[in-house]
């Protein structure tokens, strides 16, 4: 499988450290609000990556953190803790907020068929790990204490900007814009590993440490949690592209300085979901959630398909019109699958050819839109319907679009509708009611409606005439 590696800026053949276990780490959500569908684009594509690796035969161990402390409103170590902001907004405790939005996040993931990673670890459960790493960095001379906080000293590194071809000045400005300089920092890119002093003294969660009572910086979380569950090396680290700098850059700086060797081989970054006014973000207040899509009548699977139809390394523009197009595509796809007639044999040779096309799409830097095309190719192929169903079942272990179960539901609905359409007794009663209404005999019309209701039949009056359905 070829994957684009942000570290080398090119597509590379994926070779794990050990074929027995691919170690994958994913930056988890900051649980101060609902995840928006932009966040969930990233989790959908990471989910496809994990499933594609499994499809290729690799056992994957995936770890994800839950950021419930230390993520400040600004990436430059200033501003209030996002969790505290959330707690104030809702008049709840930080832990209540964390629990509520962690549950909400996994409920959204379930609706989108995003598998739960093997390990999900809240940052607040790993304070001793973070302290150990910070201590190690101080001992090795990569960190210093100033104004009560512990900082990572980026001047001790040979190379700090690992991901970007950008100009260092540009990057620094990008982070710093509108942000006050922290006078304790020796170098402008230094970042806080452990806070005991901040402008916001009302930080709710604090722990004892060798440097005083305080709390960890956000970046140290991912290094600590990854090392706790995956050891000293990592095959793939994934996250949204906005995390590449400074978050992942700082993760690499502190992890490799602490360990004394290379930490992670492949960096997988998912580009953003944008609206026509720019990047979708939680802090902008109004944002789109899976629940909102559902309230508007959208099946979360249509959103998943919408994401899969574009490559993860391209920005994706969300609009209702684009989502409507995905709904049409999804419904058509499911209708075609529902029309397949099983009962024959699986033709192994034909299945192998279909499989090859699908595998090639995944191998080409997780080209999910080509993988979706491979699904359409299955439906067009000249082979038995059983072969097609076998291929679709297999591909859906990666795509997770509910291809077969949604088709099954559609078939059941179609069968019910057909059965209903052919019930002359009910048709006759409905016709009697229509006639009664026409002759203004409302008592009879109401009696028939009640009679049908008692039998579980609902009458629906539409401009095209009266219809009925079983409820
Ligand atoms: P957060 O909960 O803010 O820590 O973000 C969770 C994940 O969503 C991270 O991997 C972010 O990089 C990613 N993310 C944030 N905004 C977007 C967006 N508009 N589109 C795609 N991914 C995003
Ligand atoms: Zn992270």
């Amino acid at each position: 499988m070829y994957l684009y590696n942000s570290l080398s800026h090119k597509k590379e053949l994926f070779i794990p450290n050990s074929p027995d276990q691919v170690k994958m780490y994913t930056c988890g959500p900051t649980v101060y609000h609902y995840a928006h569908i932009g966040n969930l684009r990233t989790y959908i594509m990471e989910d496809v990556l994990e499933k594609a690796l499994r499809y290729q035969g690799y056992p994957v161990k995936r770890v994800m953190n839950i950021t419930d402390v230390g993520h400040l409103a600004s990436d430059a170590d200033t501003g209030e803790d996002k969790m505290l902001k959330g707690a104030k907004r809702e008049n709840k405790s930080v832990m209540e907020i964390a629990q509520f939005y962690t549950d909400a996040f996994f409920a959204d993931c379930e609706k989108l068929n995003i598998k739960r990673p093997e390990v999900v670890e809240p940052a607040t459960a790993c304070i001793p790990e973070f302290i150990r790493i910070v201590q190690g960095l101080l001992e090795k001379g990569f960190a210093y204490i100033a104004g009560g906080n512990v900082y990572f000293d980026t001047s001790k590194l040979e190379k700090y900007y690992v991901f970007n071809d950008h100009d260092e000045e540009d990057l620094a400005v990008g982070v710093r814009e509108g942000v006050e300089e922290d006078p304790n920092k020796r170098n402008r890119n230094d970042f806080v590993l452990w806070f005991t002093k901040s402008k916001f003294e009302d930080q709710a969660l604090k722990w004892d440490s060798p440097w005083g009572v305080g709390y960890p910086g956000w970046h140290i979380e991912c290094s600590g949690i990854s090392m706790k569950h995956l050891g000293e090396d990592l095959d793939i680290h994934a996250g949204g592209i906005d995390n590449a700098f400074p978050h992942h850059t700082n993760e690499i700086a502190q992890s490799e300085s602490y360990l004394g060797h290379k930490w992670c081989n492949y960096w997988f970054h998912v580009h953003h979901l944008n609206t026509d006014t720019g990047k979708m973000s939680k802090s902008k207040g109004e944002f789109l959630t899976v629940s909102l899509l559902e309230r508007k009548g959208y099946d979360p699977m249509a959103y998943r398909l919408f994401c899969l139809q574009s490559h993860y390394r391209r920005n994706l523009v969300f609009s209702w019109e684009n989502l409507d197009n995905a709904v049409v595509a999804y419904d058509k796809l499911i209708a075609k699958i529902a029309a397949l007639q099983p009962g024959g044999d699986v033709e192994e040779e034909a299945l192998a050819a279909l499989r090859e096309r699908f595998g090639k799409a995944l191998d080409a830097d997780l080209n999910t839109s080509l993988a979706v095309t491979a699904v359409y190719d299955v439906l067009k192929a000249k082979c038995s319907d059983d072969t097609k169903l076998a291929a679709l079942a297999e591909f859906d272990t990666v795509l997770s679009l509910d291809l077969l179960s949604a088709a099954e539901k559609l078939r059941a609905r179609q069968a019910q509708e057909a059965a209903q359409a052919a019930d002359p007794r009910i048709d006759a009663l409905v016709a009697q009611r229509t006639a009664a209404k026409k002759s203004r005999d409302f008592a009879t019309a109401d009696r028939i409606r009640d009679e049908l209701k008692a039998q579980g039949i609902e009458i629906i009056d539409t401009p095209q005439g009266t219809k009925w359905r079983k409820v």
Side-chain angles (χ1 to χ4, degrees), residues 246-262:
H247 183 50
H248 292 160
T249 305
N250 291 349
E251 278 187 43
I252 294 175
Q254 67 204 2
S255 298
E256 298 195 346
S257 304
Y258 173 73
L259 294 169
H261 58 74
K262 186 165 181 178

Side-chain angles (χ1 to χ4, degrees), residues 25 27 222 237 247-248 251:
Y25 184 85
C27 289
C222 290
H237 192 310
H247 183 50
H248 292 160
E251 278 187 43

Side-chain angles (χ1 to χ4, degrees), residues 140-144 152-158 186-187 257:
K140 290 184 175 188
F142 285 103
Y144 59 92
F152 185 90
D153 186 348
T154 52
S155 70
K156 294 279 155 56
L157 300 174
E158 266 175 45
R186 289 185 192 161
N187 314 288
S257 304

Side-chain angles (χ1 to χ4, degrees), residues 25-28 65 67 218-219 221-223 237-239 243 247-248 251 267:
Y25 184 85
T26 310
C27 289
N65 66 308
T67 299
W218 171 41
H219 315 300
E221 285 180 18
C222 290
S223 297
H237 192 310
N243 283 165
H247 183 50
H248 292 160
E251 278 187 43
W267 287 82

Side-chain angles (χ1 to χ4, degrees), residues 21-38:
Q21 187 179 64
V22 170
K23 297 181 185 179
M24 178 172 173
Y25 184 85
T26 310
C27 289
T30 309
V31 284
Y32 71 111
H33 221 318
Y34 292 107
H36 58 61
I37 58 171

Side-chain angles (χ1 to χ4, degrees), residues 27-30 32 36 38-39 41-43 46 71 82 218 239-243 270-274 279-282:
C27 289
T30 309
Y32 71 111
H36 58 61
N39 300 128
R41 178 196 188 194
T42 293
Y43 294 110
E46 292 167 346
H71 194 173
K82 290 186 180 188
W218 171 41
I241 189 71
D242 58 321
N243 283 165
V270 181
H271 287 239
H272 279 154
L273 181 78
N274 295 326
K279 183 193 157 209
M280 200 171 281
S281 88
K282 287 188 204 180

Side-chain angles (χ1 to χ4, degrees), residues 39 51 137 197 213 233 262 267 339 347 393 433 444 461:
N39 300 128
K51 289 171 178 169
L137 288 168
K197 289 274 182 305
V213 175
D233 57 76
K262 186 165 181 178
W267 287 82
E347 297 155 19
R433 174 178 171 270
T444 305
D461 290 314

